[in-house]
Amino acid sequence: MAEAETDALDARYGRTRTHRTRDRLLLAGGAVAFAIVLVAWVVWAGLDGQKPQVEATDTGHRLINEERLVEVSWNLSVPPGNDTACIVQALNEDFTVVGWKVVEVPASTRHIRSLTETVRVAQEANTGLIYSCWLT
């Protein structure tokens, strides 16, 4: 095949020098975009400084209705050395909050602690539980 025919076929099917340069630039641009997205994801997901996890689990409650009190017991799991606060609440039979209290829990060297707190109620309560906990 003559060189002129080969050049014509290359031009026809996009195999010219300008097409190859354009393809290389597109490939390099795609690789750079992928690298930027990957680095951003690593910074966002891995290097953002994980915060300690707080977990509270209800273990029981005791109704002291003649005194309008509910005693709530729970386990608190928090990394040692962190002050924590929890909301303890009492509910009636309609699941309406009839009493609540914010409890400040000082830092400790123990990871898991068992705690009990008494909540005064405005009406007769059926249960008591931990609503939420957070680091202070």
Side-chain angles (χ1 to χ4, degrees), residues 30-87:
V32 167
F34 177 78
I36 289 171
V37 169
L38 180 65
V39 167
W41 179 79
V42 166
V43 168
W44 175 76
L47 303 176
D48 65 347
Q50 281 188 329
K51 295 182 175 83
Q53 296 292 322
V54 177
E55 186 176 332
T57 307
D58 301 314
T59 57
H61 66 278
R62 187 169 68 101
L63 305 175
I64 312 170
N65 285 329
E66 61 273 359
E67 297 176 32
R68 296 191 101 137
L69 299 173
V70 175
E71 189 176 85
V72 180
S73 300
W74 77 97
N75 288 333
L76 178 65
S77 174
V78 63
N82 289 291
D83 292 328
T84 311
C86 295
I87 295 177

Coordinates of all heavy atoms in Angstrom, one line a residue, residues 30-87:
G30 N -8.0 12.7 32.7 CA -8.8 11.7 33.5 C -8.0 11.2 34.6 O -8.5 11.0 35.7
A31 N -6.7 10.9 34.4 CA -5.9 10.3 35.5 C -5.7 11.4 36.6 O -5.8 11.1 37.8 CB -4.6 9.9 35.0
V32 N -5.5 12.6 36.2 CA -5.3 13.7 37.2 C -6.6 13.9 38.0 O -6.6 14.0 39.2 CB -4.9 15.0 36.5 CG1 -5.0 16.2 37.5 CG2 -3.4 14.9 36.0
A33 N -7.8 13.9 37.3 CA -9.1 14.1 38.0 C -9.3 12.9 38.9 O -9.8 13.1 40.1 CB -10.2 14.2 36.9
F34 N -9.0 11.7 38.5 CA -9.2 10.5 39.4 C -8.3 10.7 40.7 O -8.7 10.4 41.8 CB -8.8 9.3 38.7 CG -8.9 8.0 39.5 CD1 -10.1 7.5 39.9 CD2 -7.7 7.4 40.0 CE1 -10.2 6.4 40.7 CE2 -7.8 6.3 40.8 CZ -9.0 5.8 41.1
A35 N -7.0 11.1 40.5 CA -6.1 11.3 41.6 C -6.6 12.4 42.6 O -6.5 12.2 43.8 CB -4.7 11.7 41.1
I36 N -7.2 13.4 42.0 CA -7.7 14.5 42.9 C -8.9 14.0 43.7 O -8.9 14.2 44.9 CB -8.1 15.7 42.1 CG1 -6.8 16.4 41.6 CG2 -8.9 16.7 42.9 CD1 -7.1 17.5 40.6
V37 N -9.8 13.3 43.1 CA -10.9 12.7 43.8 C -10.5 11.7 44.8 O -11.0 11.7 46.0 CB -11.9 12.1 42.8 CG1 -13.0 11.2 43.5 CG2 -12.6 13.1 41.9
L38 N -9.5 10.9 44.5 CA -9.0 9.9 45.5 C -8.3 10.5 46.7 O -8.6 10.1 47.8 CB -8.0 8.9 44.8 CG -7.4 7.9 45.6 CD1 -8.4 6.9 46.1 CD2 -6.3 7.1 44.9
V39 N -7.5 11.5 46.5 CA -6.9 12.2 47.6 C -7.9 12.9 48.4 O -7.9 12.9 49.7 CB -5.8 13.2 47.0 CG1 -5.4 14.2 48.1 CG2 -4.6 12.5 46.5
A40 N -8.9 13.6 47.8 CA -10.0 14.2 48.6 C -10.7 13.2 49.4 O -11.1 13.5 50.6 CB -10.9 15.0 47.6
W41 N -11.0 12.1 48.9 CA -11.8 11.0 49.6 C -10.9 10.5 50.8 O -11.5 10.3 51.9 CB -12.2 9.9 48.7 CG -12.9 8.8 49.5 CD1 -14.2 8.8 49.8 CD2 -12.3 7.6 50.0 NE1 -14.5 7.7 50.6 CE2 -13.3 6.9 50.7 CE3 -11.0 7.0 50.0 CZ2 -13.1 5.7 51.3 CZ3 -10.8 5.8 50.6 CH2 -11.9 5.2 51.2
V42 N -9.6 10.3 50.6 CA -8.8 9.8 51.7 C -8.7 10.8 52.8 O -8.8 10.5 54.0 CB -7.4 9.5 51.2 CG1 -6.4 9.3 52.3 CG2 -7.4 8.3 50.3
V43 N -8.6 12.1 52.5 CA -8.6 13.2 53.5 C -9.9 13.2 54.2 O -10.0 13.3 55.5 CB -8.2 14.5 52.9 CG1 -8.5 15.7 53.9 CG2 -6.8 14.5 52.4
W44 N -11.0 13.2 53.5 CA -12.3 13.3 54.1 C -12.7 12.0 55.0 O -13.1 12.1 56.1 CB -13.4 13.4 53.0 CG -14.8 13.4 53.6 CD1 -15.4 14.4 54.2 CD2 -15.7 12.3 53.5 NE1 -16.7 14.0 54.6 CE2 -16.9 12.7 54.1 CE3 -15.7 11.0 52.9 CZ2 -18.0 11.9 54.2 CZ3 -16.8 10.2 53.1 CH2 -17.9 10.7 53.7
A45 N -12.4 10.8 54.5 CA -12.7 9.6 55.2 C -11.7 9.1 56.2 O -12.1 8.6 57.2 CB -13.0 8.5 54.1
G46 N -10.5 9.3 55.9 CA -9.5 8.7 56.7 C -8.7 9.6 57.7 O -8.2 9.2 58.7
L47 N -8.5 10.8 57.3 CA -7.6 11.7 58.0 C -8.3 12.8 58.7 O -7.7 13.8 59.2 CB -6.5 12.3 57.1 CG -5.7 11.2 56.3 CD1 -4.7 12.0 55.4 CD2 -4.9 10.3 57.3
D48 N -9.6 12.7 58.9 CA -10.4 13.8 59.5 C -10.4 13.8 61.0 O -11.1 14.6 61.6 CB -11.8 13.8 58.9 CG -12.6 12.6 59.3 OD1 -12.0 11.6 59.8 OD2 -13.9 12.6 59.2
G49 N -9.7 12.9 61.6 CA -9.6 12.8 63.1 C -10.9 12.2 63.7 O -11.8 13.0 64.0
Q50 N -10.9 10.9 63.8 CA -12.1 10.3 64.3 C -12.4 10.8 65.8 O -11.5 10.9 66.6 CB -12.0 8.8 64.4 CG -12.2 8.1 63.0 CD -12.2 6.6 63.2 OE1 -11.5 6.1 64.1 NE2 -12.9 6.0 62.4
K51 N -13.7 11.0 66.0 CA -14.1 11.4 67.4 C -14.4 10.1 68.2 O -14.9 9.1 67.6 CB -15.3 12.3 67.3 CG -15.0 13.6 66.6 CD -16.2 14.5 66.5 CE -15.8 15.8 66.0 NZ -15.8 15.9 64.6
P52 N -14.2 10.1 69.5 CA -14.5 9.0 70.3 C -16.0 8.7 70.2 O -16.9 9.6 70.2 CB -14.1 9.4 71.7 CG -13.3 10.6 71.6 CD -13.6 11.2 70.2
Q53 N -16.4 7.4 70.3 CA -17.7 7.0 70.2 C -18.3 6.9 71.6 O -17.7 6.4 72.5 CB -17.8 5.6 69.6 CG -17.4 5.6 68.1 CD -18.3 6.4 67.2 OE1 -19.5 6.3 67.4 NE2 -17.8 7.1 66.3
V54 N -19.6 7.3 71.8 CA -20.3 7.2 73.0 C -21.5 6.3 72.8 O -22.2 6.4 71.8 CB -20.8 8.6 73.5 CG1 -21.6 8.5 74.7 CG2 -19.6 9.6 73.6
E55 N -21.7 5.4 73.7 CA -22.8 4.4 73.6 C -23.4 4.2 75.0 O -22.7 4.0 75.9 CB -22.3 3.1 73.0 CG -23.5 2.2 72.7 CD -23.0 0.9 72.0 OE1 -21.9 0.9 71.4 OE2 -23.6 -0.2 72.2
A56 N -24.7 4.3 75.0 CA -25.5 4.1 76.3 C -26.5 3.0 76.0 O -27.2 3.0 75.0 CB -26.1 5.4 76.8
T57 N -26.6 2.1 77.0 CA -27.5 1.0 76.9 C -28.4 0.9 78.2 O -27.8 0.8 79.3 CB -26.8 -0.4 76.7 OG1 -25.9 -0.2 75.6 CG2 -27.8 -1.5 76.4
D58 N -29.7 1.0 78.0 CA -30.5 0.9 79.2 C -30.4 -0.5 79.8 O -30.4 -1.5 79.1 CB -32.0 1.1 78.8 CG -32.2 2.5 78.2 OD1 -31.7 3.4 78.8 OD2 -32.9 2.5 77.2
T59 N -30.3 -0.6 81.1 CA -30.3 -1.9 81.8 C -31.5 -2.2 82.7 O -31.7 -3.3 83.1 CB -29.0 -2.1 82.6 OG1 -28.9 -1.1 83.5 CG2 -27.8 -2.1 81.6
G60 N -32.2 -1.1 83.0 CA -33.4 -1.3 83.8 C -33.9 0.0 84.4 O -33.3 1.0 84.2
H61 N -35.1 -0.1 85.0 CA -35.7 1.0 85.7 C -36.5 0.5 86.9 O -37.0 -0.7 86.9 CB -36.6 1.8 84.7 CG -37.8 1.1 84.3 ND1 -37.8 0.2 83.2 CD2 -39.1 1.1 84.7 CE1 -39.0 -0.3 83.0 NE2 -39.8 0.3 83.9
R62 N -36.7 1.4 87.8 CA -37.6 1.1 89.0 C -38.5 2.3 89.2 O -38.1 3.4 89.3 CB -36.6 0.8 90.2 CG -37.4 0.4 91.4 CD -36.4 -0.1 92.5 NE -35.6 1.0 93.1 CZ -35.9 1.6 94.2 NH1 -36.9 1.2 95.0 NH2 -35.1 2.5 94.7
L63 N -39.8 2.0 89.3 CA -40.8 3.0 89.5 C -41.0 3.2 91.0 O -41.2 2.2 91.8 CB -42.1 2.6 88.9 CG -42.1 2.3 87.4 CD1 -43.4 1.8 86.9 CD2 -41.6 3.5 86.6
I64 N -40.9 4.4 91.5 CA -41.2 4.8 92.9 C -42.3 5.8 92.8 O -42.1 7.0 93.0 CB -39.9 5.4 93.5 CG1 -38.7 4.5 93.3 CG2 -40.1 5.5 95.0 CD1 -37.4 5.1 93.7
N65 N -43.5 5.3 92.5 CA -44.6 6.2 92.2 C -45.2 6.9 93.4 O -45.6 8.0 93.2 CB -45.8 5.4 91.5 CG -45.5 5.0 90.1 OD1 -44.8 5.7 89.4 ND2 -45.9 3.9 89.6
E66 N -45.1 6.4 94.6 CA -45.5 7.1 95.7 C -44.7 8.4 96.0 O -45.2 9.3 96.6 CB -45.6 6.2 97.0 CG -44.2 5.7 97.4 CD -43.9 4.3 96.8 OE1 -44.6 3.8 96.0 OE2 -42.8 3.8 97.0
E67 N -43.5 8.4 95.5 CA -42.7 9.6 95.6 C -42.5 10.3 94.3 O -41.8 11.3 94.2 CB -41.3 9.2 96.2 CG -41.3 8.6 97.6 CD -40.0 8.2 98.0 OE1 -39.0 8.8 97.6 OE2 -39.9 7.2 98.8
R68 N -43.2 9.8 93.3 CA -43.1 10.4 91.9 C -41.7 10.4 91.4 O -41.2 11.5 90.9 CB -43.8 11.8 91.9 CG -45.3 11.7 92.2 CD -45.9 13.0 91.9 NE -46.5 12.9 90.6 CZ -47.7 13.4 90.3 NH1 -48.3 14.1 91.2 NH2 -48.2 13.3 89.1
L69 N -41.0 9.3 91.5 CA -39.7 9.2 91.0 C -39.5 7.9 90.1 O -40.3 7.0 90.3 CB -38.7 9.0 92.2 CG -38.6 10.2 93.2 CD1 -37.7 9.8 94.4 CD2 -38.1 11.4 92.5
V70 N -38.6 8.0 89.2 CA -38.2 6.8 88.4 C -36.7 6.7 88.5 O -35.9 7.7 88.3 CB -38.6 6.9 86.9 CG1 -38.1 5.8 86.1 CG2 -40.1 7.0 86.8
E71 N -36.2 5.5 88.9 CA -34.8 5.3 88.9 C -34.3 4.5 87.7 O -34.9 3.4 87.4 CB -34.5 4.4 90.2 CG -33.0 4.3 90.5 CD -32.9 3.5 91.8 OE1 -32.9 2.3 91.8 OE2 -32.7 4.2 92.9
V72 N -33.4 5.1 86.9 CA -33.0 4.5 85.6 C -31.6 4.0 85.8 O -30.7 4.7 86.2 CB -33.1 5.5 84.5 CG1 -32.7 4.9 83.2 CG2 -34.5 6.0 84.4
S73 N -31.3 2.8 85.3 CA -30.0 2.2 85.3 C -29.5 2.0 83.9 O -30.3 1.6 83.0 CB -29.9 0.9 86.0 OG -30.3 1.0 87.4
W74 N -28.2 2.3 83.6 CA -27.7 2.1 82.2 C -26.2 1.9 82.3 O -25.6 2.2 83.3 CB -28.1 3.3 81.4 CG -27.3 4.5 81.6 CD1 -26.2 4.9 80.8 CD2 -27.5 5.6 82.5 NE1 -25.8 6.2 81.3 CE2 -26.5 6.6 82.3 CE3 -28.4 5.8 83.6 CZ2 -26.4 7.7 83.1 CZ3 -28.3 6.9 84.3 CH2 -27.4 7.9 84.1
N75 N -25.7 1.3 81.2 CA -24.3 1.2 81.0 C -23.8 2.3 80.0 O -24.4 2.5 78.9 CB -23.9 -0.2 80.4 CG -24.1 -1.3 81.4 OD1 -24.0 -1.1 82.6 ND2 -24.4 -2.5 81.0
L76 N -22.7 2.9 80.3 CA -22.2 4.0 79.5 C -20.8 3.5 79.0 O -19.9 3.2 79.8 CB -22.0 5.3 80.3 CG -21.4 6.5 79.5 CD1 -22.3 6.9 78.4 CD2 -21.2 7.6 80.5
S77 N -20.6 3.5 77.7 CA -19.4 3.1 77.1 C -18.8 4.4 76.4 O -19.4 4.9 75.4 CB -19.6 2.0 76.0 OG -18.4 1.7 75.3
V78 N -17.7 4.8 76.9 CA -17.0 6.0 76.4 C -15.5 5.8 76.6 O -15.1 5.3 77.6 CB -17.5 7.3 77.0 CG1 -17.3 7.3 78.5 CG2 -17.0 8.5 76.3
P79 N -14.6 6.3 75.6 CA -13.2 6.1 75.9 C -12.8 6.9 77.1 O -13.3 7.9 77.5 CB -12.6 6.8 74.6 CG -13.7 6.7 73.6 CD -15.0 6.8 74.3
P80 N -11.9 6.3 77.9 CA -11.4 6.9 79.1 C -10.9 8.3 79.0 O -10.3 8.6 77.9 CB -10.3 5.9 79.6 CG -10.5 4.6 78.9 CD -11.2 5.0 77.6
G81 N -11.2 9.1 80.0 CA -10.7 10.5 80.0 C -11.6 11.5 79.3 O -11.3 12.6 79.1
N82 N -12.9 11.1 79.0 CA -13.8 12.0 78.3 C -15.0 12.3 79.2 O -15.6 11.3 79.7 CB -14.3 11.4 77.0 CG -13.3 11.3 76.0 OD1 -12.9 12.4 75.4 ND2 -12.8 10.2 75.6
D83 N -15.3 13.6 79.5 CA -16.5 13.9 80.2 C -17.7 13.7 79.3 O -17.6 13.9 78.0 CB -16.5 15.4 80.6 CG -15.4 15.7 81.6 OD1 -15.2 14.8 82.5 OD2 -14.9 16.8 81.7
T84 N -18.8 13.3 79.8 CA -20.0 12.9 79.0 C -21.2 13.5 79.7 O -21.2 13.8 80.9 CB -20.1 11.4 79.0 OG1 -18.9 10.8 78.6 CG2 -21.2 11.0 78.0
A85 N -22.3 13.8 78.9 CA -23.6 14.2 79.5 C -24.6 13.3 78.8 O -24.5 12.9 77.7 CB -23.9 15.6 79.2
C86 N -25.6 12.9 79.6 CA -26.7 12.1 79.1 C -28.1 12.7 79.5 O -28.2 13.3 80.6 CB -26.6 10.6 79.7 SG -25.2 9.8 79.2
I87 N -29.1 12.4 78.7 CA -30.4 12.8 79.0 C -31.2 11.5 79.5 O -31.2 10.6 78.7 CB -31.2 13.4 77.9 CG1 -30.5 14.7 77.5 CG2 -32.7 13.6 78.2 CD1 -31.2 15.4 76.3

